[in-house]
Amino acid sequence: HRLRFTTSFLVLFPQNHSVPNNSSLYKKPFVESFEETPLLVAVLTYMGYGILTIFGYLRDFLRQWNIEKCHVAREREEQKDFVPLYQDFENFYTRNLYMRIRDNWNRPICSVPGAKMDLVERVSHDYNWTFEHTGKVVKDVINMGSYNYLGFAENIGACADAAVKATHKYGAGVSSTRCEMGNLDIHEELEQLVARFLGVESSMAFGMGFATNSMNIPALTGKGCLILSDELNHASLVLGARLSGSTIRVFKHNNMQSLEKLLRDAIVHGQPRTHRPWKKILIVVEGIYSMEGSVVRLPEVIALKKRYKAYLYLDEAHSIGALGPNGRGVVDYFGLDPKDVDIMMGTFTKSFGAAGGYIGGKKELIDYLRTHSHSALYATSMSPPVAQQIITSMKIIMGEDGTKLGADRLRQLSENTTYFRRKLRDMGFIIYGNDDSPVVPMMLYMPAKIGAFGREMLKRNIGTVVVGFPATPIIESRARFCISAAHTREMPGGR
């Protein structure tokens, strides 16, 4: 399913790489680690899933004969001759495996999800089918799961104060689209600031990060176009590509040989049947991959894009604000020219502690999207206090607030990431991803460890995210830590 390497590796260019061995593409070493699953662990993991599956069938048999109570939706007896609304087997995994560890997800939070947070305590008396709140609150849980990379998820400070003032001035909602009565001066100020921050001609902001991808890709490509998508791209990119009606071909994760082969084939053979040239070829990648912690090999992607005259769509949802000496994402991290990326996309939901997303690029591109993007034409405008939160936090990152707070947070995030990754390795854990990525996946492998790890962490007042199949390959279950500049040295590595 995914590209894997047996040991940690230091990559500039693999020997069999088809891009010329030009070390100038990388200005510093590119270090990523993807250790192959040990054979014994893989066998035991498959055995674990096999045992759970057998017991799942046994429990389904007991439910069918009403020996065990059935909590799932079912067809009524009088509807048995109708076309079925529910496919029981499709929900097999949910009711027999996921329900066992469901208590690890959707926990209610009753505070700001900053470096620490408060959780509403809940219990289940029917094996996680339903939950009841006890009325108690678990205080000061260390938050290792939120994408609060720069610590701007806070209810005090300059950002919160500015958002409150914006609420008093504009209200909480706009109740209209940008092209009607919802275009406020604060929206235009935000877009000008984003363009300046990215180093591009123009930008456009959207109220929802997911829709920024899923609603804008269909405006950029269509029938007769080819999308080359990394196999680990986010669901919003996958949905946008499918909605566009374009032909989609998937290349192996961060594998430049796989990408170049698809590019060559696309140019040599053209469209199926007619063999006419593709109207557009769009390469779609992410800056940081949120489940792997890996960083896109952008210098090589740009080299291929230029060689084969393709377009590049870069999703910086997790990398904007979290990478680069100036916090300007993966382009800044590699010291590249923003003009080499045709469509720069990112979200405000992570490093900026807000909501929504943006697309940046040439003025012609943005002007086109303003009149053709469904997200621009039909979606309600971004909430004014949210826009103000983004403006204030972005100015802090850029140093335009007159302080060094932004630079300090960028440095602190980098130091925390390095420290946390080193400590986990020293303890013998297998972790994935780039050494500079604040997304740190720690491998658990076995299904029983998913629930156990999440519960044991919470007992120690640490809130983290655990992930298993189908979000990951079946033998690669993991815990995913997200490092923040708001974490202190005692939080990430002291326990």
Side-chain angles (χ1 to χ4, degrees):
H1 292 282
R2 304 190 179 198
L3 185 63
R4 287 291 174 267
F5 299 90
T6 54
T7 57
S8 300
F9 60 94
L10 177 64
V11 175
L12 288 182
F13 295 95
Q15 291 181 354
N16 61 347
H17 208 286
S18 53
V19 174
N21 273 331
N22 183 1
S23 60
S24 64
L25 284 180
Y26 287 87
K27 298 179 180 179
K28 60 180 180 180
F30 184 72
V31 184
E32 291 195 343
S33 175
F34 296 96
E35 187 169 330
E36 188 177 12
T37 305
L39 179 60
L40 177 61
V41 173
V43 170
L44 292 174
T45 302
Y46 280 121
M47 286 178 61
Y49 276 106
I51 292 169
L52 287 171
T53 302
I54 291 170
F55 274 92
Y57 279 114
L58 176 61
R59 297 187 74 173
D60 278 356
F61 175 79
L62 296 176
R63 291 178 186 127
Q64 185 176 357
W65 291 95
N66 295 322
I67 299 173
E68 180 178 321
K69 186 178 180 181
C70 182
H71 296 275
V72 295
R74 279 184 155 186
E75 304 290 348
R76 295 177 181 175
E77 188 64 27
E78 57 267 28
Q79 293 177 314
K80 62 181 180 180
D81 295 326
F82 287 35
V83 176
L85 290 174
Y86 305 103
Q87 295 292 336
D88 274 353
F89 187 76
E90 290 181 3
N91 300 317
F92 179 88
Y93 183 89
T94 300
R95 65 177 177 268
N96 291 309
L97 282 79
Y98 169 71
M99 279 299 167
R100 292 173 176 266
I101 53 177
R102 185 175 171 228
D103 56 302
N104 284 282
W105 293 281
N106 308 312
R107 292 184 178 124
I109 298 171
C110 56
S111 70
V112 176
K116 291 186 177 182
M117 58 188 176
D118 298 338
L119 298 183
V120 176
E121 188 180 71
R122 61 182 185 175
V123 294
S124 176
H125 303 292
D126 54 3
Y127 303 101
N128 294 336
W129 284 97
T130 60
F131 293 98
E132 293 179 7
H133 295 168
T134 64
K136 297 179 182 178
V137 174
V138 184
K139 294 280 189 179
D140 295 329
V141 177
I142 298 174
N143 183 2
M144 299 296 291
S146 295
Y147 309 128
N148 184 28
Y149 299 129
L150 293 180
F152 284 115
E154 51 194 0
N155 58 359
I156 57 173
C159 292
D161 293 342
V164 169
K165 289 180 181 177
T167 306
H168 288 309
K169 180 178 180 180
Y170 297 100
V174 180
S175 303
S176 185
T177 64
R178 290 287 299 275
C179 59
E180 293 172 347
M181 302 297 291
N183 188 33
L184 305 182
D185 56 350
I186 196 171
H187 295 137
E188 299 204 354
E189 178 188 354
L190 170 62
E191 291 174 344
Q192 291 168 9
L193 181 65
V194 170
R196 193 153 50 85
F197 180 64
L198 297 175
V200 296
E201 292 180 10
S202 185
S203 76
M204 186 172 185
F206 304 88
M208 181 182 179
F210 191 98
T212 305
N213 278 331
S214 60
M215 293 290 100
N216 282 297
I217 293 177
L220 296 170
T221 65
K223 190 175 181 181
C225 298
L226 175 66
I227 292 177
L228 302 180
S229 177
D230 189 290
E231 66 178 341
L232 298 186
N233 275 343
H234 190 262
S236 59
L237 293 168
V238 174
L239 178 61
R242 289 175 177 172
L243 290 175
S244 71
S246 305
T247 300
I248 304 168
R249 290 175 185 163
V250 178
F251 62 92
K252 294 179 181 178
H253 175 54
N254 246 353
N255 188 321
M256 297 302 106
Q257 290 174 301
S258 176
L259 174 58
E260 184 167 23
K261 183 179 185 304
L262 290 178
L263 284 166
R264 281 180 173 172
D265 289 346
I267 289 172
V268 171
H269 301 295
Q271 299 184 41
R273 294 194 302 274
T274 64
H275 299 294
R276 292 176 181 171
W278 295 99
K279 295 177 182 177
K280 295 176 193 171
I281 300 177
L282 181 67
I283 303 170
V284 180
V285 294
E286 294 185 43
I288 292 178
Y289 291 84
S290 61
M291 208 57 73
E292 304 292 314
S294 57
V295 175
V296 64
R297 299 164 89 177
L298 192 60
E300 297 177 68
V301 175
I302 288 177
L304 289 174
K305 167 237 170 184
K306 288 181 176 179
R307 177 182 301 174
Y308 294 100
K309 303 296 187 289
Y311 295 97
L312 176 58
Y313 186 109
L314 174 64
D315 178 347
E316 293 221 69
H318 287 269
S319 53
I320 194 70
L323 280 183
N326 303 299
R328 299 183 183 186
V330 70
V331 176
D332 185 30
Y333 175 75
F334 287 113
L336 302 171
D337 187 349
K339 294 182 177 62
D340 287 335
V341 180
D342 301 287
I343 303 108
M344 297 186 71
M345 178 272 171
T347 62
F348 303 121
T349 54
K350 300 167 181 71
S351 293
F352 304 97
Y358 67 81
I359 284 185
K362 291 184 177 180
K363 187 176 183 301
E364 294 86 349
L365 167 71
I366 304 304
D367 289 344
Y368 174 83
L369 288 177
R370 290 189 194 280
T371 56
H372 289 80
S373 167
H374 283 69
S375 191
L377 294 172
Y378 303 115
T380 303
S381 302
M382 182 184 288
S383 173
V386 172
Q388 186 59 59
Q389 163 78 18
I390 301 163
I391 291 170
T392 307
S393 58
M394 192 172 288
K395 285 184 176 179
I396 291 173
I397 296 170
M398 296 170 73
E400 294 186 1
D401 63 331
T403 71
K404 294 183 178 180
L405 180 60
D408 290 343
R409 293 196 183 199
L410 291 168
R411 186 187 68 255
Q412 189 64 51
L413 174 62
S414 178
E415 291 176 359
N416 285 351
T417 298
T418 302
Y419 177 74
F420 187 70
R421 282 181 170 272
R422 187 180 74 245
K423 279 290 186 180
L424 286 182
R425 283 201 182 97
D426 291 346
M427 294 167 71
F429 291 108
I430 296 174
I431 59 174
Y432 276 5
N434 191 285
D435 279 3
D436 294 324
S437 169
V439 178
V440 186
M442 188 185 82
M443 306 310 294
L444 300 176
Y445 299 114
M446 300 178 194
K449 287 185 179 179
I450 300 172
F453 185 84
R455 294 175 191 129
E456 290 300 318
M457 286 291 101
L458 190 57
K459 286 180 184 177
R460 291 158 176 78
N461 246 35
I462 301 173
T464 188
V465 174
V466 286
V467 190
F469 181 81
T472 67
I474 197 165
I475 61 170
E476 293 182 12
S477 301
R478 64 198 66 180
R480 185 186 64 182
F481 300 100
C482 291
I483 306 304
S484 171
H487 290 143
T488 62
R489 183 61 63 93
E490 291 73 25
M491 289 180 190
R495 296 200 176 204

